Amino acid sequence: MTQPFGYFVHHQGRGHAERCAAIANALPVTRPLTIFCARDDIFPALPAHVEIVRIPSLFEPGGGEATTMDDIATPATLHCAPLGWPGIRRAMATIANWFDSVNPALMICDVSAEIAQLARICSVPHVKVLQHGDRGDPGHRAAYDGAAGLLAAFHADLAQPEWDAAMRAKTCFAGGLGVDICVPERELARRRIGVAADEETILVLSGGGGDGFGQAPLAVGARAKPGTRWITIGPVQRDWHATEPANIEHRGWVDNPAEYVAAADLVIASTGNTTCQQILAAARPWLAIPEWRYFDEQHRKAEALAAAGVACVRPHLPSSADAWEQALAETRATHRPDAQRGMIADTPAHDTAMWLEALAARLWTPAPAATLPLDLTGA
């Protein structure tokens, strides 16, 4: 029987699950795959041969946690490892027991430094998903250095400058992984979301990993552009002092964000990975506003996007009508659609699956037996 792959999926947001599903659907049907996640309702369609094992969250209390050991320092090689949490113990035991029972070919980790190190401690080769951010700490370095390979769901031109040659050499860069790179045709997308063909439209997009943008600054922007239709999708933080004009509409969660992106004349969005890939694939003018994330993930990604010339970046939403005018004008003036499209691979999921298969084959193929030199002396 073919050795299975394991896959840990962080349940915050949707990007981790979407990447996993894309890879699962691209792997050969002969490769068993077991997913470990605290939720089983966040995944797109998965093949029948894929199993999801629910485990307790490693990051949220589930009841019965001790509070008497919080004063014991966390070592620098770990990030989230509180003592006395039964849920963490059960999750780790579930994964370790699976390691022992099936002898997996690879464990893919998206993302947890602790799960990556668990795989290494249990003598299981792991692939660590690589994210942007200030991740030079001992915990991340242990996960990266001990990995058999690294997987980056973005183009190599978005790599951070401090990632050295050894790190890049074992990295599979897959721009567009986890999103539908078949962009809907603009006019069709507009009809589907109810926007007229000649109506200038700005889309404000917030993903599932945060609380969204504030209502007040968006209202300022909409008032500064009264002839433009503003549509928000995803969460919006409500501000009691916001005075919204009639040209802004909040649609909340939608099932077809790619159509909204394709229909927009300009997109305002944070720099979560799925959001990035959708906008780059659609090649839309993009005002990128990074949100707070651990390790400054979105800020470092915004820096990479700006350096590659594929987004106009601001540290926060503009706070006045003049600032909005300047930001929107710069977004349009610096738009490079060909450079944006160049960030997306033609077949990112297939490429990733084949890279994983090749990596597993290399790791588990026995080395040829050494041959002794012929003795021609007769001794």
Side-chain angles (χ1 to χ4, degrees):
M1 178 180 174
T2 303
Q3 289 174 274
F5 287 170
Y7 206 131
F8 169 78
V9 176
H10 196 310
H11 61 283
Q12 181 186 23
R14 292 294 183 271
H16 309 286
E18 289 165 350
R19 286 193 288 269
C20 176
I23 293 170
N25 281 286
L27 285 170
V29 295
T30 54
R31 177 69 70 181
L33 177 66
T34 298
I35 299 168
F36 299 90
C37 186
R39 292 178 59 179
D40 57 9
D41 60 342
I42 58 174
F43 293 88
L46 293 167
H49 65 278
V50 174
E51 177 188 19
I52 301 179
V53 175
R54 286 195 62 178
I55 57 174
S57 172
L58 304 177
F59 318 101
E60 303 158 282
E65 290 77 19
T67 59
T68 54
M69 294 178 274
D70 291 347
D71 60 325
I72 299 177
T74 301
T77 51
L78 300 173
H79 296 147
C80 183
L83 292 170
W85 281 40
I88 292 177
R89 197 156 46 243
R90 285 196 302 273
M92 294 297 191
T94 299
I95 295 172
N97 285 331
W98 183 81
F99 287 162
D100 184 47
S101 63
V102 306
N103 187 30
L106 284 175
M107 180 67 175
I108 304 157
C109 182
D110 188 2
V111 285
S112 164
E114 287 76 27
I115 296 292
Q117 293 182 68
L118 175 71
R120 183 59 193 254
I121 291 168
C122 290
S123 197
V124 173
H126 74 271
V127 168
K128 181 72 171 64
V129 170
L130 181 61
Q131 296 179 291
H132 289 89
D134 295 323
R135 302 179 192 268
D137 58 274
H140 278 109
R141 289 310 316 180
Y144 296 155
D145 294 344
L150 301 173
L151 173 59
F154 46 84
H155 192 278
D157 286 354
L158 298 180
Q160 291 179 195
E162 69 269 24
W163 295 345
D164 60 24
M167 194 169 170
R168 295 183 189 219
K170 65 177 182 180
T171 300
C172 172
F173 291 95
L177 178 64
V179 304
D180 186 353
I181 60 175
C182 297
V183 179
E185 191 267 334
R186 180 176 181 271
E187 283 68 28
L188 176 60
R190 286 193 158 221
R191 288 198 298 271
R192 286 178 174 172
I193 70 167
V195 172
D198 60 350
E199 191 173 17
E200 185 178 35
T201 303
I202 290 177
L203 174 69
V204 181
L205 189 161
S206 296
D211 297 325
F213 295 118
Q215 182 183 19
L218 296 178
V220 173
R223 285 188 178 279
K225 304 292 290 183
T228 299
R229 184 172 183 177
W230 291 56
I231 297 174
T232 76
I233 59 174
V236 173
Q237 298 179 36
R238 301 298 175 180
D239 295 319
W240 66 267
H241 50 85
T243 53
E244 290 189 334
N247 62 321
I248 188 168
E249 175 188 358
H250 304 295
R251 296 196 179 181
W253 291 111
V254 298
D255 295 328
N256 55 338
E259 290 186 331
Y260 280 82
V261 174
D265 293 301
L266 184 147
V267 179
I268 301 165
S270 59
T271 55
N273 196 66
T274 299
T275 299
C276 288
Q277 304 309 306
Q278 286 179 329
I279 299 170
L280 293 173
R284 292 295 180 260
W286 178 15
L287 177 59
I289 313 292
E291 294 184 87
W292 183 93
R293 291 292 185 274
Y294 290 105
F295 306 104
D296 265 346
E297 175 188 336
Q298 289 208 7
H299 286 274
R300 293 305 308 275
K301 189 179 297 181
E303 291 173 7
L305 292 164
V310 292
C312 177
V313 174
R314 289 288 190 276
H316 51 73
L317 290 174
S319 56
S320 67
D322 286 346
W324 270 110
E325 291 281 5
Q326 293 171 16
L328 296 176
E330 182 181 340
T331 300
R332 292 187 176 94
T334 59
H335 182 217
R336 298 172 61 217
D338 290 341
Q340 289 178 311
R341 293 188 189 96
M343 296 285 107
I344 305 299
D346 292 334
T347 56
H350 176 268
D351 296 347
T352 301
M354 293 305 97
W355 176 79
L356 290 169
E357 288 292 322
L359 176 61
R362 178 174 63 81
L363 293 172
W364 290 95
T365 299
T371 57
L372 296 175
L374 292 175
D375 185 354
L376 303 178
T377 65

